[in-house]
Amino acid sequence: MINGDPYVTQVKHVKMIGPRRAEQLARLNVYTVHDLLYHFPREYIDRSRLISLYERKPGDMVTVVGRVISCQENRPRPKLTVTKAAMEGDRGLFYAVWFNRVHIKKMLKPGTRMYISGKLVKGFGNLEVQVHDFEIITTGGDSLHAGRIVPVYPATGGVTQRMLRTFIHGALEEWLQNYREFLPRRVLDGEDLMILSEALKQVHFPDSHALAERARRRFVFEELFLFQLQLALLRRNIVRVEKPYRYRPSNELIKKYIAGLGFNLTSAQRRVVREIMEDMESPHPMHRLLQGDVGSGKTVVAILTLLKAVESGLQGALMAPTEVLAEQHYLSLNRSLAPLGVRVALLSGGMPVKDRRSMLEKIAMGELSIVVGTQALLQDDVVFNKLAVVVIDEQHRFGVRQRGSLQKKGVCPDLLIMTATPIPRTLSMTAYGDLDMSVIDALPPGRQPVRTYYVAPGELPRVFSFVARQVAEGRQAYVVCPLVEESEHLDLQAAENLYQKLIENELRGYRVALLHGRMKRADKEQVMQQFRSGQVDVLVSTTVIEVGVDVPNASVMVIVDADRFGLAQLHQLRGRVGRGGDQAHCILSARLRSREAAERIKAMKFSQDGFYLAEKDLQIRGPGDIAGVRQSGMPEFRLANLIRDRDLLQAARRQAMALVNADPELRAGEYHYLRLALERYSQRGGGYYHIG
Ligand code: ADP
Ligand code: MG
């Protein structure tokens, strides 16, 4: 045993690792002894029982030892190199075959002994192994590399598997005893986890596949647990703050507003409003995420939340991701609230300096009760008088950073974050694990599902004729063209071309307008205004309309090149139609070049349920790509996979919550090592919020 802390001791102090090796290891992000021991195998090869090739079937994955007799390289086709080595195996000759490994021949000198793993095939009466993995045997019968289940590590040029095994084995011998178990006893027992020192041994040099798996499970849990613990503590900190303002119990304004709505709230809306009001009436700040599918009626909930503040002589802010949406919110808020005597303002980015200044004054004086805006609300010169509540719409366009800086404006205002992109539970527990959750799980009555079709691009003329007929009947339509960041220019071109084509052909004589992100703000607003008021029949647009736009008379959505959109995005776009009582149509035109694209289209045709589609999206694309999740501060996990390990995630969350509830500051002596581990975890940036 050595004195020192494996977390800070540099890897060059491990025996047999000199400065040069240390440099190479740095390329694997291994700097300290701890990094080395937490450099886990990507897979294992079973060399514990080398079964003779003669006892295996073609198609089997095999691992054998062989000695090179001779080697040949062929190029049957320009892009194909086949290297074939004749090998002496335990009972005779076999061939090892590599494809397109041009440099491999140099390593295959006659006499070289090696482990070979790969697929067994039978070629012309010979036994042949198509090599996936091989390892040259440099020393005789070393116990780390043979006769056991052998780890295979992520490696780079220079550092071989054998070196890594040797280094890690050495480090384990010297340093294992410096590791203290930091997971609480109760958690270890409750989740049946392997203890740290045993897990470190078994994850690298397992005695069986089952033990390797148990070791891996422990480390996945550990990673998820530290992460959830951090969230739980963060949440705890917010929840402990006392709010500076209290709301009056009267609800006159709210009642008046509801009475004027012209429809009844759905029971789902009533339930979430109740949850929100309870939060607001509590002495601690609300910190809540409201999820509701497109069209489920979140805006009404937002307004009720804001009115609660207005009613008590306090202020509310409503933040939207785009100017178009902020404007739309402002218009609808003003329409319904001005008659009630509530003063609403739009603070937009493009205001003349003078107007802005006078508006800021009114905000600071508290003359304006509700301020609507985009990120512009976050600027330092925006000072509220008594900001009690902040509602953020369509959260996924806001990063975590913005979330934090708005909170700083008021003294810990109540916070309601709304998202129309349903987030699979596994992801919301991570990306939003610090928030309480409300879900509007039902649409207002009378909505018909949007009929969804797939067409090949060649059928688009027929689709546009259909659009023309719908417009002739008084409906409105969207035509959406993709906008991909790398080439905004080209996409704009495509949208412009399509627009030209439409007004000259299928939609000649109709009122068609083009909307795209490069337009001036005022022009955009004007086009939207015309579409809302029915002066424009068809809106040809890039994805600027994606979130939140509400024009009930629009009944057709055509999405061109739908294969270039993610599922969540397609669902959002489709949600723009079907808001009135009429049958709505969504036509997806795409070239199905990949299986993923075909799966997405199929899912869209099959379901209108945002939560279902979000789960599908997660399956098809993996967590990193889910709309908004990356921007929202999703951590990268080293080991854990949120799809495969969702049960462990649940368990980790449960345990972390229980722990923090029982001991909010982890003060007990038994948590000493846990506190240390947590500190290191957040220092490594394994953590989550880096607000500020
Ligand atoms: P989203 O949740 O996507 O933001 P909106 O708040 O824009 O949805 O609501 C969509 C439409 O449904 C709006 O036109 C709104 O007036 C209407 N709406 C909301 N709640 C109800 C309800 N309870 N009954 C009938 N219509 C409703
Ligand atoms: Mg909305």
Side-chain angles (χ1 to χ4, degrees):
M1 165 160 176
I2 277 184
N3 276 330
D5 182 347
Y7 285 88
V8 295
T9 306
Q10 289 185 12
V11 77
K12 66 174 185 226
H13 296 296
V14 171
K15 74 177 171 210
M16 293 194 291
I17 301 181
R20 201 169 79 85
R21 293 288 176 228
E23 240 166 67
Q24 289 171 324
L25 286 168
R27 274 186 251 145
L28 294 167
N29 286 324
V30 170
Y31 303 96
T32 64
V33 174
H34 177 77
D35 293 338
L36 183 64
L37 289 180
Y38 268 60
H39 189 68
F40 294 135
R42 61 174 154 80
E43 60 179 329
Y44 302 93
I45 294 181
D46 193 346
R47 292 180 187 159
S48 56
R49 300 160 300 145
L50 294 181
I51 300 172
S52 170
L53 282 182
Y54 292 88
E55 285 155 36
R56 309 296 293 266
K57 304 188 299 297
D60 282 357
M61 294 303 291
V62 297
T63 295
V64 288
V65 177
R67 200 168 57 85
V68 178
I69 297 170
S70 66
C71 180
Q72 245 183 7
E73 196 177 86
N74 289 312
R75 295 193 115 217
R77 280 187 273 121
K79 286 208 169 124
L80 179 65
T81 305
V82 181
T83 312
K84 197 166 180 176
M87 314 276 299
E88 186 188 313
D90 60 337
R91 283 202 231 156
L93 197 75
F94 71 94
Y95 291 94
V97 181
W98 286 261
F99 298 107
N100 287 333
R101 295 286 302 271
V102 193
H103 302 295
I104 216 86
K105 185 164 185 270
K106 273 186 269 168
M107 304 172 69
L108 302 175
K109 301 211 173 68
T112 307
R113 273 170 36 90
M114 52 175 42
Y115 284 102
I116 286 176
S117 298
K119 194 164 89 179
L120 180 63
V121 293
K122 285 240 165 78
F124 303 114
N126 293 323
L127 285 175
E128 199 173 290
V129 178
Q130 293 180 352
V131 182
H132 288 203
D133 196 274
F134 72 98
E135 186 179 311
I136 292 172
I137 300 173
T138 46
T139 53
D142 191 331
S143 66
L144 286 184
H145 316 289
R148 55 157 39 255
I149 297 171
V150 173
V152 180
Y153 293 100
T156 60
V159 189
T160 65
Q161 294 295 337
R162 291 174 93 80
M163 285 180 206
L164 277 169
R165 271 179 225 133
T166 310
F167 297 160
I168 289 173
H169 192 263
L172 277 172
E173 280 189 338
E174 287 179 346
W175 292 89
L176 195 59
Q177 292 158 78
N178 299 45
Y179 273 86
R180 294 280 163 280
E181 179 58 79
F182 60 85
L183 291 179
R185 188 79 248 166
R186 215 161 30 86
V187 174
L188 286 168
D189 291 346
E191 304 303 329
D192 188 24
L193 298 170
M194 194 181 259
I195 61 163
L196 180 55
S197 54
E198 181 66 12
L200 276 171
K201 264 192 285 188
Q202 292 294 337
V203 82
H204 290 295
F205 299 101
D207 291 326
S208 71
H209 284 294
L211 287 170
E213 181 48 35
R214 261 179 71 69
R216 194 197 71 88
R217 185 169 171 275
R218 183 233 143 87
F219 289 113
V220 170
F221 182 90
E222 170 183 317
E223 180 172 43
L224 293 169
F225 180 73
L226 288 175
F227 174 68
Q228 288 294 336
L229 198 56
Q230 210 176 34
L231 284 186
L233 290 170
L234 184 80
R235 197 190 137 71
R236 191 81 206 174
N237 284 341
I238 291 165
V239 167
R240 268 188 313 191
V241 171
E242 291 256 336
K243 287 192 284 203
Y245 311 119
R246 294 297 149 85
Y247 301 93
R248 292 191 202 122
S250 109
N251 282 324
E252 287 310 307
L253 200 51
I254 286 181
K255 282 187 198 134
K256 257 195 250 168
Y257 170 75
I258 292 178
L261 270 180
F263 51 72
N264 294 321
L265 295 183
T266 62
S267 60
Q269 281 169 321
R270 280 204 299 273
R271 190 189 64 244
V272 306
V273 169
R274 213 163 36 237
E275 287 165 357
I276 290 167
M277 296 298 151
E278 265 169 33
D279 279 1
M280 293 176 81
E281 280 157 19
S282 117
H284 308 291
M286 167 162 72
H287 204 56
R288 188 170 281 278
L289 180 70
L290 173 61
Q291 293 199 68
D293 214 338
V294 263
S296 61
K298 292 184 293 297
T299 312
V300 174
V301 175
I303 293 177
L304 290 171
T305 306
L306 295 165
L307 283 181
K308 177 96 181 156
V310 178
E311 184 125 59
S312 302
L314 305 170
Q315 289 171 299
L318 174 59
M319 194 150 91
T322 63
E323 294 280 347
V324 167
L325 265 186
E327 157 119 7
Q328 177 182 290
H329 274 316
Y330 166 73
L331 290 174
S332 84
L333 255 66
N334 205 32
R335 196 166 48 233
S336 54
L337 298 184
L340 304 179
V342 178
R343 299 198 58 192
V344 184
L346 175 67
L347 188 71
S348 91
M351 287 169 91
V353 178
K354 215 171 88 224
D355 297 1
R356 180 180 167 88
R357 196 172 305 141
S358 97
M359 184 171 286
L360 290 181
E361 231 156 75
K362 288 185 187 140
I363 295 172
M365 300 294 289
E367 284 170 34
L368 293 168
S369 301
I370 297 177
V371 185
V372 184
T374 60
Q375 278 96 328
L377 286 181
L378 298 182
Q379 278 152 26
D380 282 340
D381 58 350
V382 186
V383 181
F384 286 83
N385 183 34
K386 288 177 171 179
L387 180 63
V389 60
V390 173
V391 178
I392 301 183
D393 192 14
E394 314 294 3
Q395 140 75 14
H396 66 276
R397 292 286 179 93
F398 282 108
V400 173
R401 196 177 288 275
Q402 284 106 321
R403 214 197 280 180
S405 46
L406 192 69
Q407 265 177 288
K408 282 194 215 129
K409 293 252 152 209
V411 194
C412 273
D414 285 313
L415 183 64
L416 181 68
I417 293 168
M418 308 200 294
T419 171
T421 310
I423 305 158
R425 216 182 120 58
T426 39
L427 293 189
S428 60
M429 270 195 299
T430 40
Y432 303 105
D434 57 323
L435 303 174
D436 290 308
M437 199 79 68
S438 286
V439 180
I440 307 185
D441 50 9
L443 297 181
R447 297 270 171 84
Q448 300 179 45
V450 177
R451 286 209 186 121
T452 304
Y453 319 82
Y454 160 74
V455 301
E459 294 172 76
L460 274 175
R462 209 164 53 80
V463 170
F464 291 128
S465 304
F466 170 74
V467 171
R469 284 197 303 280
Q470 288 275 314
V471 171
E473 287 170 24
R475 301 278 85 84
Q476 287 166 283
Y478 299 95
V479 177
V480 177
C481 321
L483 182 79
V484 178
E485 276 160 49
E486 302 95 72
S487 152
E488 198 177 344
H489 183 70
L490 284 182
D491 287 308
L492 193 53
Q493 192 83 54
E496 268 164 3
N497 290 348
L498 182 63
Y499 169 77
Q500 277 303 328
K501 223 183 74 187
L502 287 174
I503 57 175
E504 283 162 20
N505 298 292
E506 291 92 350
L507 298 181
R508 180 192 296 179
Y510 293 105
R511 296 165 303 177
V512 183
L514 181 64
L515 182 71
H516 59 77
R518 289 273 186 94
M519 283 162 67
K520 282 211 205 78
R521 183 196 316 274
D523 296 342
K524 258 194 269 190
E525 274 162 22
Q526 195 192 353
V527 170
M528 273 319 294
Q529 184 46 41
Q530 287 170 339
F531 190 64
R532 263 195 290 266
S533 64
Q535 290 161 270
V536 162
D537 303 314
V538 179
L539 195 62
V540 177
S541 164
T542 55
T543 41
V544 283
I545 61 155
E546 183 192 341
V547 281
V549 173
D550 185 31
V551 180
N553 188 48
S555 67
V556 187
M557 166 66 63
V558 181
I559 304 177
V560 180
D561 288 344
D563 52 316
R564 289 170 66 185
F565 295 98
L567 249 187
Q569 225 178 351
L570 289 174
H571 179 63
Q572 280 291 321
L573 286 168
R574 179 170 60 184
R576 299 306 112 216
V577 297
R579 305 187 144 231
D582 296 304
Q583 178 62 58
H585 308 269
C586 174
I587 297 124
L588 305 169
S589 154
R591 247 183 283 278
L592 301 183
R593 276 169 289 223
S594 67
R595 192 176 53 86
E596 282 85 6
E599 273 183 49
R600 283 201 291 269
I601 304 275
K602 200 167 108 198
M604 282 293 288
K605 283 172 66 176
F606 176 75
S607 173
Q608 315 254 333
D609 176 347
F611 282 94
Y612 169 85
L613 292 173
E615 289 284 349
K616 261 272 169 293
D617 208 15
L618 181 62
Q619 285 167 18
I620 297 174
R621 298 203 292 178
D625 277 331
I626 293 293
V629 167
R630 199 184 288 141
Q631 298 97 299
S632 64
M634 262 302 272
E636 301 261 337
F637 292 108
R638 288 168 61 120
L639 270 188
N641 172 321
L642 294 181
I643 300 172
R644 188 190 54 202
D645 300 320
R646 51 175 55 181
D647 292 346
L648 275 182
L649 173 63
Q650 305 253 13
R653 181 164 175 79
R654 215 172 35 239
Q655 293 286 2
M657 291 287 181
L659 190 62
V660 171
N661 280 340
D663 185 350
E665 272 150 45
L666 308 183
R667 221 175 277 188
E670 59 168 316
Y671 301 142
H672 174 73
Y673 290 109
L674 180 59
R675 283 198 304 270
L676 263 177
L678 198 61
E679 216 168 276
R680 282 163 173 159
Y681 176 74
S682 43
Q683 274 167 10
R684 277 210 323 269
Y688 178 55
Y689 284 106
H690 299 284
I691 291 175

